[in-house]
């Protein structure tokens, strides 16, 4: 996600009150050289726009929507579905909730409330895509964005997704355009307009059977990832042994 440098500078003059670039960078936690390189190339990233907006206490989504190519971002924001909210609860937190409920049944007392880890978690991109996938979403995103499916898969495996791909995924899935940006960590839940405590609320409403099924799916996916990692490690070890 980038905007023309000239458009960015016009916006910066408007919101920063004529502050120097050095002052803006210090406040936003951006290296002066990073901004300078972006201006020289003529394209400024949305990460820079977001950082400047946060430093000036401006709403990030509204700031990004000021740029013509992203003007639909604010209007396209919608509350996350229950599936999306659950997707942004980590595997460990799901398991803690199951254990808390089991312990409460044995003790005959109310279940302790699980304190949820921050978003994103270590597989938040994959779990979000799984939650919003109408059918073959990954293939649709790759075709729409004009990238190789294996390149998209590599990003997902690394728990990364460019903002452009996150927005494209949301558009194709028919969900709020900012929700994928939360899953990638580009936006916080609050910046995307998620209600405070919404993840906890949906977790508490989830039935025991649904919770166990979801945890089982997550563990199976984790098992596949671990098997691939172990196979790659074993293959690399074999290569080193042969070279030795």
């Amino acid at each position: 996600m980038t905007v023309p440098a000239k458009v960015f500078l016009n916006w910066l003059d408007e919101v920063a009150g004529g502050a120097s670039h050095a002052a803006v960078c210090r406040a936003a936690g951006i290296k002066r050289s990073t901004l300078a390189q972006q201006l020289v190339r003529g394209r400024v990233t949305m990460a820079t726009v977001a950082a400047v907006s946060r430093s000036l206490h401006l709403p990030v989504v509204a700031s990004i929507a000021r740029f013509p190519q992203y003007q639909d971002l604010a209007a396209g924001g919608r509350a996350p579905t229950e599936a999306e909210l659950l997707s942004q609860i980590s595997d460990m937190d799901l398991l803690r909730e199951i254990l808390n409920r089991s312990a409460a049944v044995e003790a005959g007392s109310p279940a302790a409330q699980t304190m949820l880890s921050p978003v994103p978690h270590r597989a938040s991109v994959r779990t979000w895509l799984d939650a919003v996938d109408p059918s073959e979403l990954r293939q649709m995103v790759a075709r729409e964005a004009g990238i190789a499916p294996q390149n998209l898969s590599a990003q997902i495996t690394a728990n990364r997704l460019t903002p452009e791909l996150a927005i494209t995924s949301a558009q194709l899935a028919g969900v709020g355009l900012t929700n994928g940006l939360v899953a990638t960590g580009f936006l916080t839940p609050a910046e995307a307009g998620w209600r405070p405590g919404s993840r906890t609320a949906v977790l508490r409403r989830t039935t025991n059977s649904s919770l166990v099924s979801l945890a089982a799916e997550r563990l199976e996916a984790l098992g596949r990832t671990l098997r691939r990692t172990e196979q790659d490690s074993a293959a690399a070890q074999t290569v080193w042994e042969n070279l030795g």
Side-chain angles (χ1 to χ4, degrees):
M1 294 174 70
T2 62
V3 298
K6 184 176 180 179
V7 178
F8 169 80
L9 289 174
N10 290 337
W11 171 80
L12 186 62
D13 287 341
E14 178 183 342
V15 300
S20 68
H21 290 179
V24 168
C25 288
R26 281 196 302 273
I30 304 170
K31 290 183 178 180
R32 179 70 182 86
S33 58
T34 297
L35 178 59
Q37 290 169 3
Q38 292 179 16
L39 293 175
V40 168
R41 290 196 297 265
R43 308 295 300 181
V44 176
T45 68
M46 280 296 99
T48 296
V49 175
V52 172
S53 298
R54 292 183 183 110
S55 71
L56 297 172
H57 307 291
L58 298 173
V60 178
V61 173
S63 293
I64 294 174
R66 291 282 302 277
F67 298 91
Q69 60 267 55
Y70 304 115
Q71 60 186 359
D72 295 335
L73 191 61
R78 293 200 298 276
T81 64
E82 290 199 351
E84 287 180 283
L85 289 169
L86 286 172
S87 78
Q88 296 313 296
I89 297 175
S90 71
D91 299 349
M92 291 301 298
D93 288 345
L94 290 178
L95 294 174
R96 288 191 187 98
E97 178 70 10
I98 292 172
L99 292 174
N100 286 343
R101 292 187 187 186
S102 298
V105 169
E106 293 181 2
S109 60
Q113 182 168 315
T114 303
M115 301 302 293
L116 300 183
S117 306
V119 177
H121 57 80
R122 66 178 182 180
S124 56
V125 170
R126 176 183 56 76
T127 54
W128 176 73
L129 288 171
D130 289 344
V132 303
D133 191 350
S135 179
E136 300 183 345
L137 178 60
R138 289 163 173 78
Q139 294 89 328
M140 294 164 59
V141 171
R143 287 195 298 269
E144 180 71 18
I147 64 173
Q150 58 268 31
N151 291 342
L152 176 61
S153 179
Q155 286 194 46
I156 296 170
T157 299
N159 203 37
R160 294 196 303 268
L161 201 62
T162 65
E164 294 91 340
L165 290 176
I167 293 174
T168 298
S169 300
Q171 289 172 328
L172 293 173
V175 298
L177 299 186
T178 57
N179 294 347
L181 297 176
V182 175
T184 65
F186 184 86
L187 294 176
T188 67
E191 289 171 343
W194 292 18
R195 286 187 296 105
S198 55
R199 291 189 303 145
T200 298
V202 73
L203 179 62
R204 301 299 289 180
R205 292 197 300 270
T206 303
T207 64
N208 291 339
S209 59
S210 297
L211 185 61
V212 170
S213 294
L214 179 58
E217 291 173 6
R218 295 277 195 92
L219 290 175
E220 175 60 27
L222 177 60
R224 290 195 297 269
T225 299
L226 292 175
R227 284 193 293 273
R228 286 195 298 269
T229 301
E230 290 165 356
Q231 290 166 358
D232 292 343
S233 178
Q237 183 62 33
T238 300
V239 170
W240 282 110
E241 290 175 352
N242 291 335
L243 288 175

